[in-house]
Amino acid sequence: MQIAEQQSVKTACWSCGADVSGPLCAACGKVQPATEQDYFAVFSLPRRLSLDTKVLEREFYRLSRRLHPDLYARTSELEQQWSTEQTSLVNDAYRALKDPIARTEYLLKLEGMAIGEETTGKKQQPPADLLEEVFELNMQLEEMRMGGDDPQLRSDLENAKKQFEAQLAQADADLAALWAKWDGALAEGDLTAQMASKEEMLALLDRRRYVRNLVRDVNAALDGQSGDAPTP
Amino acid sequence: MAYSDKVIDHYNNPRNVGQLDKSSSEVGTGLVGAPECGDVMRLQIKVNPETQVIEEAKFKTFGCGSAIASSSLATEWVKGKTVSEAMEIKNTDIVKELALPPVKIHCSVLAEDAIRAAIGDWKKKNGVAEGAAAPQAVAAQ
Ligand code: FES
Ligand SMILES: [Zn+2]
């Protein structure tokens, strides 16, 4: 019961009065005013993390077609405006939900977790052993990069690349397991388990960012570029 | 978005890159990371046991230009300060000095965290309680 309320914010269609969720009324097909809908609601989806991106894509194209400006050339100005606003909402929602990492980050934000936000306050530092490991790996990578013509260099880098990519794949597998945990807790309305899985996902995403950088840097080194060119 | 001249200067000529002997009792090491971007920074200080003055500071940063500039500046600033003076350095001072834009504020926070972590490590090594001012007599061999 509680879940149903939590997931669908229903309003009445301005034209026919039917219940609507999403950009278009299912009963009469009229475009609805773009409200502060969350991205899952845009696609009438529950806040589940394991989602079929094929289905999402199909729904995205369907909505995009139905919201196409040509279809609104003869409607009221208000409906034209709504269709434009809904189009950009649908685009943002699709972009955020189709990518597994972006989807997870979006859900965590939606669920009230502070993530990737610019804060000046004290943040929790990642575990010391993780930092040590990442720092060490970066040092090794730098040494390899400076190796110049050392014939050993390339194979060292290739090995490092394999190692980092394996770590990244492991992080992704761990994340998928946490999705299942979240989805299950959501279905059961188990708030404690929901909170626990959110915190685990947050920590995992933090960890994943370091590994992702290592993969990026080792690839840059293999391409013969400097891995830490300044990016503002 | 462009880097300020000061950031570029520190980026091209970073001051005090390197490392100090981690095992020395006079050296404090701070290793910190910024989870929002995955950058890591190590900052080390060497403290005179008699005067509590930071005589040397070194850093090594794997991260963006602003993080490199922030840590480079931090090592310059802590040198010659006492440990308690160095604790007063705020990330907002770094933001101002380097004219960092809002999206780069966390890079300066990383440098402040690194200073504090290095001082914390030094205090722990020398048996100073966190927050306490100074060790009385740290036996110098
Ligand atoms: S971008 Fe993260 S430290 Fe600069
Ligand atoms: Zn309707």
PDB file of all heavy atoms in Angstrom, chain A residues 12-20 24-30 32, ligand 2:
ATOM      1  N   ALA A  12      -4.996  14.641 -11.947  1.00  0.00           N
ATOM      2  CA  ALA A  12      -6.092  14.498 -12.897  1.00  0.00           C
ATOM      3  C   ALA A  12      -5.750  15.223 -14.197  1.00  0.00           C
ATOM      4  O   ALA A  12      -5.175  16.306 -14.184  1.00  0.00           O
ATOM      5  CB  ALA A  12      -7.369  15.068 -12.302  1.00  0.00           C
ATOM      6  N   CYS A  13      -6.107  14.599 -15.308  1.00  0.00           N
ATOM      7  CA  CYS A  13      -5.892  15.220 -16.617  1.00  0.00           C
ATOM      8  C   CYS A  13      -6.698  16.523 -16.700  1.00  0.00           C
ATOM      9  O   CYS A  13      -7.875  16.555 -16.339  1.00  0.00           O
ATOM     10  CB  CYS A  13      -6.328  14.257 -17.722  1.00  0.00           C
ATOM     11  SG  CYS A  13      -6.360  15.024 -19.358  1.00  0.00           S
ATOM     12  N   TRP A  14      -6.048  17.572 -17.203  1.00  0.00           N
ATOM     13  CA  TRP A  14      -6.739  18.871 -17.293  1.00  0.00           C
ATOM     14  C   TRP A  14      -7.885  18.836 -18.295  1.00  0.00           C
ATOM     15  O   TRP A  14      -8.823  19.609 -18.213  1.00  0.00           O
ATOM     16  CB  TRP A  14      -5.749  19.982 -17.685  1.00  0.00           C
ATOM     17  CG  TRP A  14      -5.102  19.742 -19.039  1.00  0.00           C
ATOM     18  CD1 TRP A  14      -3.940  19.066 -19.272  1.00  0.00           C
ATOM     19  CD2 TRP A  14      -5.594  20.146 -20.315  1.00  0.00           C
ATOM     20  NE1 TRP A  14      -3.675  19.010 -20.611  1.00  0.00           N
ATOM     21  CE2 TRP A  14      -4.675  19.684 -21.282  1.00  0.00           C
ATOM     22  CE3 TRP A  14      -6.719  20.857 -20.756  1.00  0.00           C
ATOM     23  CZ2 TRP A  14      -4.842  19.892 -22.651  1.00  0.00           C
ATOM     24  CZ3 TRP A  14      -6.882  21.068 -22.132  1.00  0.00           C
ATOM     25  CH2 TRP A  14      -5.939  20.583 -23.064  1.00  0.00           C
ATOM     26  N   SER A  15      -7.812  17.893 -19.233  1.00  0.00           N
ATOM     27  CA  SER A  15      -8.812  17.864 -20.296  1.00  0.00           C
ATOM     28  C   SER A  15      -9.987  16.919 -20.007  1.00  0.00           C
ATOM     29  O   SER A  15     -11.138  17.302 -20.108  1.00  0.00           O
ATOM     30  CB  SER A  15      -8.133  17.485 -21.609  1.00  0.00           C
ATOM     31  OG  SER A  15      -9.082  17.382 -22.647  1.00  0.00           O
ATOM     32  N   CYS A  16      -9.647  15.652 -19.636  1.00  0.00           N
ATOM     33  CA  CYS A  16     -10.732  14.692 -19.455  1.00  0.00           C
ATOM     34  C   CYS A  16     -10.932  14.267 -18.005  1.00  0.00           C
ATOM     35  O   CYS A  16     -11.886  13.563 -17.696  1.00  0.00           O
ATOM     36  CB  CYS A  16     -10.502  13.454 -20.325  1.00  0.00           C
ATOM     37  SG  CYS A  16      -9.215  12.357 -19.694  1.00  0.00           S
ATOM     38  N   GLY A  17     -10.008  14.659 -17.145  1.00  0.00           N
ATOM     39  CA  GLY A  17     -10.174  14.363 -15.722  1.00  0.00           C
ATOM     40  C   GLY A  17      -9.691  12.990 -15.292  1.00  0.00           C
ATOM     41  O   GLY A  17      -9.746  12.659 -14.114  1.00  0.00           O
ATOM     42  N   ALA A  18      -9.203  12.189 -16.226  1.00  0.00           N
ATOM     43  CA  ALA A  18      -8.696  10.871 -15.856  1.00  0.00           C
ATOM     44  C   ALA A  18      -7.387  11.008 -15.059  1.00  0.00           C
ATOM     45  O   ALA A  18      -6.716  12.034 -15.127  1.00  0.00           O
ATOM     46  CB  ALA A  18      -8.447  10.039 -17.115  1.00  0.00           C
ATOM     47  N   ASP A  19      -7.057   9.950 -14.301  1.00  0.00           N
ATOM     48  CA  ASP A  19      -5.784   9.934 -13.580  1.00  0.00           C
ATOM     49  C   ASP A  19      -4.634   9.899 -14.574  1.00  0.00           C
ATOM     50  O   ASP A  19      -4.657   9.085 -15.495  1.00  0.00           O
ATOM     51  CB  ASP A  19      -5.695   8.675 -12.701  1.00  0.00           C
ATOM     52  CG  ASP A  19      -6.478   8.867 -11.408  1.00  0.00           C
ATOM     53  OD1 ASP A  19      -6.936  10.014 -11.161  1.00  0.00           O
ATOM     54  OD2 ASP A  19      -6.614   7.887 -10.654  1.00  0.00           O
ATOM     55  N   VAL A  20      -3.643  10.742 -14.382  1.00  0.00           N
ATOM     56  CA  VAL A  20      -2.479  10.662 -15.273  1.00  0.00           C
ATOM     57  C   VAL A  20      -1.187  10.555 -14.485  1.00  0.00           C
ATOM     58  O   VAL A  20      -1.031  11.133 -13.413  1.00  0.00           O
ATOM     59  CB  VAL A  20      -2.328  11.889 -16.210  1.00  0.00           C
ATOM     60  CG1 VAL A  20      -3.219  11.775 -17.399  1.00  0.00           C
ATOM     61  CG2 VAL A  20      -2.535  13.181 -15.471  1.00  0.00           C
ATOM     62  N   LEU A  24       1.828  12.290 -20.911  1.00  0.00           N
ATOM     63  CA  LEU A  24       0.595  12.286 -21.709  1.00  0.00           C
ATOM     64  C   LEU A  24      -0.525  11.566 -20.970  1.00  0.00           C
ATOM     65  O   LEU A  24      -0.278  10.619 -20.230  1.00  0.00           O
ATOM     66  CB  LEU A  24       0.846  11.569 -23.041  1.00  0.00           C
ATOM     67  CG  LEU A  24       1.907  12.179 -23.952  1.00  0.00           C
ATOM     68  CD1 LEU A  24       2.480  11.114 -24.878  1.00  0.00           C
ATOM     69  CD2 LEU A  24       1.344  13.343 -24.746  1.00  0.00           C
ATOM     70  N   CYS A  25      -1.733  12.007 -21.200  1.00  0.00           N
ATOM     71  CA  CYS A  25      -2.881  11.326 -20.595  1.00  0.00           C
ATOM     72  C   CYS A  25      -3.136  10.029 -21.365  1.00  0.00           C
ATOM     73  O   CYS A  25      -3.253  10.038 -22.593  1.00  0.00           O
ATOM     74  CB  CYS A  25      -4.114  12.220 -20.649  1.00  0.00           C
ATOM     75  SG  CYS A  25      -5.618  11.371 -20.126  1.00  0.00           S
ATOM     76  N   ALA A  26      -3.235   8.925 -20.624  1.00  0.00           N
ATOM     77  CA  ALA A  26      -3.448   7.633 -21.288  1.00  0.00           C
ATOM     78  C   ALA A  26      -4.856   7.549 -21.859  1.00  0.00           C
ATOM     79  O   ALA A  26      -5.097   6.865 -22.845  1.00  0.00           O
ATOM     80  CB  ALA A  26      -3.201   6.494 -20.299  1.00  0.00           C
ATOM     81  N   ALA A  27      -5.799   8.265 -21.251  1.00  0.00           N
ATOM     82  CA  ALA A  27      -7.196   8.175 -21.685  1.00  0.00           C
ATOM     83  C   ALA A  27      -7.458   8.999 -22.946  1.00  0.00           C
ATOM     84  O   ALA A  27      -7.957   8.484 -23.941  1.00  0.00           O
ATOM     85  CB  ALA A  27      -8.117   8.620 -20.555  1.00  0.00           C
ATOM     86  N   CYS A  28      -7.102  10.296 -22.916  1.00  0.00           N
ATOM     87  CA  CYS A  28      -7.427  11.149 -24.061  1.00  0.00           C
ATOM     88  C   CYS A  28      -6.206  11.541 -24.893  1.00  0.00           C
ATOM     89  O   CYS A  28      -6.351  12.125 -25.963  1.00  0.00           O
ATOM     90  CB  CYS A  28      -8.161  12.406 -23.596  1.00  0.00           C
ATOM     91  SG  CYS A  28      -7.099  13.585 -22.731  1.00  0.00           S
ATOM     92  N   GLY A  29      -5.011  11.229 -24.391  1.00  0.00           N
ATOM     93  CA  GLY A  29      -3.803  11.480 -25.177  1.00  0.00           C
ATOM     94  C   GLY A  29      -3.265  12.896 -25.127  1.00  0.00           C
ATOM     95  O   GLY A  29      -2.268  13.205 -25.771  1.00  0.00           O
ATOM     96  N   LYS A  30      -3.890  13.758 -24.339  1.00  0.00           N
ATOM     97  CA  LYS A  30      -3.447  15.155 -24.305  1.00  0.00           C
ATOM     98  C   LYS A  30      -2.152  15.316 -23.492  1.00  0.00           C
ATOM     99  O   LYS A  30      -1.938  14.622 -22.494  1.00  0.00           O
ATOM    100  CB  LYS A  30      -4.526  16.032 -23.672  1.00  0.00           C
ATOM    101  CG  LYS A  30      -5.794  16.112 -24.496  1.00  0.00           C
ATOM    102  CD  LYS A  30      -5.817  17.359 -25.350  1.00  0.00           C
ATOM    103  CE  LYS A  30      -7.215  17.686 -25.809  1.00  0.00           C
ATOM    104  NZ  LYS A  30      -7.400  17.790 -27.232  1.00  0.00           N
ATOM    105  N   GLN A  32       0.334  16.907 -20.887  1.00  0.00           N
ATOM    106  CA  GLN A  32       0.080  17.450 -19.551  1.00  0.00           C
ATOM    107  C   GLN A  32       1.145  18.493 -19.204  1.00  0.00           C
ATOM    108  O   GLN A  32       2.247  18.465 -19.743  1.00  0.00           O
ATOM    109  CB  GLN A  32       0.124  16.311 -18.523  1.00  0.00           C
ATOM    110  CG  GLN A  32      -0.842  15.174 -18.817  1.00  0.00           C
ATOM    111  CD  GLN A  32      -2.304  15.624 -18.761  1.00  0.00           C
ATOM    112  OE1 GLN A  32      -2.724  16.272 -17.806  1.00  0.00           O
ATOM    113  NE2 GLN A  32      -3.061  15.330 -19.817  1.00  0.00           N
TER     114      GLN A  32
HETATM  115 ZN    ZN C   2      -7.154  13.083 -20.493  1.00  0.00          ZN
END
